[in-house]
Amino acid sequence: MQNNNVYEYINITNVINQLNIKKTRTKGNYIYAICPFCQSSKEKKGYLKINTISNVYMCKNCESSGSSIDLYASLKYITTKEAFKALLKESPVLDDRPYTYNNPVKDEYYRDIVYRQFLKMQDLKEIHYKKLKEMNFKNEYIKDNLFKSIESNNYKKKEICMRLQGQGLKLDGIPGFFQDTDFKWTYKSHKGMFIPVILNNKIQGLRILLDNKYELDTENIWFSSNNEYNGTKASNWPMILKDNKMNWIDMYNSNNSTSIIIATEMILAHKLFNNTSKIVVGIPNNIDKDLILNIVKRMHASEVFLYADKYTILHTSALMYKNTILALEEQNIKVDFRIALTETDIDSDLNEYKEHKKIA
Ligand SMILES: [Zn+2]
């Protein structure tokens, strides 16, 4: 193995080639293949999704997942240590893969300008308006928070991008946008609604509330265009909802914000904010412990009301959720945690919370 580096031997592309796993298609940094564990009945589609950058695989059908070495070890019935040694003995077989370039993300000032103009060009469809009304949002709240449906017509999408460029705005470095095969700018569209993530008065990014559940049992994804030509990846930005009368500097310096609500998922955060006078922090449901600790520290909170939607506890985030609670308690911060499994849960919890605050 003198002439190759170790990475090439343990590269997942090499591992699937060594194991003769049948590939069905490739898209950006992903390879789709027939799952060797479940041989999924819909053979043509291939449920095994392989991420060639992070070197991991996951089957949407049987839910087996792991690293390249895990994959080799499981199929050869050997330990991962033995798998590592075995892989180093064979010459790596790597594919000629097109190189996808992802842009560095533009700063928050620029993103805010582009996203505000972009949202002006999106409508709010009747179906989404109704959905928001069912969640008890007033018209003014819907308008102020820029909730919009996502235009998905390919022709209209390119026209919207041309109008943005006509205003002198550049779309590289803005998550969600990319260049199509005809080199015209377009954006990723999904059936759902944009929920702008606002922090320090600026739209940091756009979270999407999907009409239908996504593959990893979530209703929420980022407006992001990594793995697309000239695309950009979104980060995990938090959102802070507060009274408009309170400015950001006062909020961070205030000693009064001793109790805050942190909610996993933006729409849940809005529902809670709509019902309380508290500061509500919205975070993506692939919850990040350090992100939460930083927010809590910055806001001088001594009590946290941590609220998760059902998707947070249905997948791997449950463990991160638990670790976050433990980490907060370690910092002597009082944590009250709730899980909203249904809409009724939110209502009854909120009433209880309001009652509790009245007594306190
Ligand atoms: Zn499978």
Side-chain angles (χ1 to χ4, degrees):
M1 60 165 280
Q2 284 89 349
N3 300 322
N4 304 74
N5 67 43
V6 176
Y7 181 73
E8 289 184 352
Y9 290 85
I10 61 162
N11 185 297
I12 200 150
T13 311
N14 174 45
V15 172
I16 59 171
N17 286 334
Q18 298 287 353
L19 293 167
N20 291 316
I21 290 172
K22 198 172 166 245
K23 293 171 222 167
T24 51
R25 68 192 169 101
T26 50
K27 193 179 179 227
N29 299 324
Y30 292 99
I31 297 174
Y32 292 83
I34 305 295
C35 175
F37 301 102
C38 65
Q39 305 286 343
S40 59
S41 53
K42 285 178 191 162
E43 284 248 328
K44 268 182 213 155
K45 225 176 150 194
Y47 282 108
L48 196 73
K49 189 179 181 185
I50 296 140
N51 184 331
T52 59
I53 298 291
S54 48
N55 231 24
V56 292
Y57 70 95
M58 193 199 73
C59 175
K60 277 204 281 181
N61 186 48
C62 68
E63 295 184 342
S64 35
S65 64
S67 68
S68 58
I69 295 174
D70 293 332
L71 180 62
Y72 194 86
S74 310
L75 290 175
K76 296 277 186 185
Y77 302 101
I78 53 177
T79 65
T80 47
K81 205 172 169 184
E82 287 164 343
F84 185 69
K85 278 188 196 163
L87 281 168
L88 293 187
K89 279 183 195 149
E90 303 287 334
S91 287
V93 185
L94 299 168
D95 300 350
D96 276 332
R97 297 183 42 72
Y99 179 64
T100 328
Y101 175 73
N102 277 315
N103 285 303
V105 67
K106 287 243 170 61
D107 67 32
E108 58 178 6
Y109 296 93
Y110 204 91
R111 294 199 305 274
D112 179 67
I113 294 168
V114 175
Y115 284 141
R116 278 185 200 275
Q117 291 305 320
F118 174 62
L119 288 171
K120 276 185 197 165
M121 299 171 187
Q122 307 285 325
D123 299 319
L124 182 63
K125 288 182 189 141
E126 190 62 28
I127 171 182
H128 293 134
Y129 174 72
K130 271 189 188 157
K131 197 173 169 181
L132 291 165
K133 292 303 276 185
E134 276 163 22
M135 295 177 190
N136 288 324
F137 292 116
K138 292 201 173 75
N139 289 349
E140 203 189 350
Y141 193 94
I142 293 169
K143 213 179 135 207
D144 286 352
N145 286 285
L146 308 167
F147 297 149
K148 290 290 181 81
S149 308
I150 306 170
E151 178 55 64
S152 59
N153 175 288
N154 276 331
Y155 176 77
K156 285 185 183 164
K157 278 161 64 177
K158 286 181 185 173
E159 195 191 67
I160 286 171
C161 290
M162 273 169 64
R163 280 165 65 199
L164 288 169
Q165 288 174 301
Q167 295 180 7
L169 297 170
K170 292 201 167 73
L171 303 175
D172 58 283
I174 307 292
F177 295 93
F178 66 97
Q179 276 177 291
D180 206 352
T181 43
D182 59 3
F183 294 103
K184 283 186 177 147
W185 281 90
T186 186
Y187 57 87
K188 296 279 274 196
S189 54
H190 308 264
K191 276 190 181 145
M193 251 186 290
F194 282 127
I195 310 292
V197 170
I198 299 177
L199 180 73
N200 304 334
N201 287 339
K202 286 169 210 78
I203 299 178
Q204 305 286 331
L206 302 176
R207 194 73 176 157
I208 294 169
L209 175 63
L210 297 166
D211 293 343
N212 300 305
K213 260 199 323 180
Y214 198 56
E215 54 189 50
L216 268 174
D217 264 339
T218 181
E219 274 181 330
N220 307 272
I221 56 168
W222 282 109
F223 183 50
S224 186
S225 49
N226 46 319
N227 304 323
E228 299 290 348
Y229 182 69
N230 235 338
T232 311
K233 193 179 190 300
S235 297
N236 262 344
W237 292 292
M239 168 180 84
I240 298 183
L241 301 171
K242 56 163 188 64
D243 194 320
N244 279 335
K245 279 174 259 167
M246 185 194 287
N247 76 44
W248 292 94
I249 294 165
D250 286 349
M251 183 189 70
Y252 290 133
N253 293 328
S254 164
N255 289 319
N256 298 328
S257 60
T258 48
S259 164
I260 59 169
I261 296 176
I262 298 180
T264 71
E265 269 326 322
M266 308 305 173
I267 200 71
L268 179 60
H270 277 290
K271 281 182 199 167
L272 294 165
F273 183 67
N274 200 24
N275 281 285
T276 62
S277 54
K278 288 257 160 245
I279 292 173
V280 181
V281 181
I283 52 166
N285 66 14
N286 46 340
I287 187 170
D288 178 331
K289 187 184 76 188
D290 295 328
L291 177 78
I292 293 180
L293 286 174
N294 283 338
I295 293 169
V296 170
K297 224 169 131 187
R298 190 158 182 204
M299 299 183 72
H300 310 286
S302 59
E303 185 189 31
V304 172
F305 186 79
L306 191 61
Y307 220 121
D309 71 6
K310 60 183 168 182
Y311 299 107
T312 307
I313 56 150
L314 277 179
H315 51 86
T316 52
S317 305
L319 185 66
M320 291 184 269
Y321 186 73
K322 191 182 141 204
N323 288 338
T324 305
I325 294 167
L326 292 174
L328 285 167
E329 283 174 344
E330 232 169 65
Q331 307 277 318
N332 283 323
I333 291 156
K334 207 178 139 204
V335 191
D336 184 352
F337 57 94
R338 303 289 172 94
I339 292 152
L341 292 175
T342 65
E343 293 290 319
T344 337
D345 279 357
I346 300 173
D347 292 344
S348 62
D349 265 5
L350 274 173
N351 286 332
E352 199 186 309
Y353 184 67
K354 275 191 256 182
E355 286 303 313
H356 165 73
K357 286 291 137 186
K358 246 183 251 165
I359 299 161

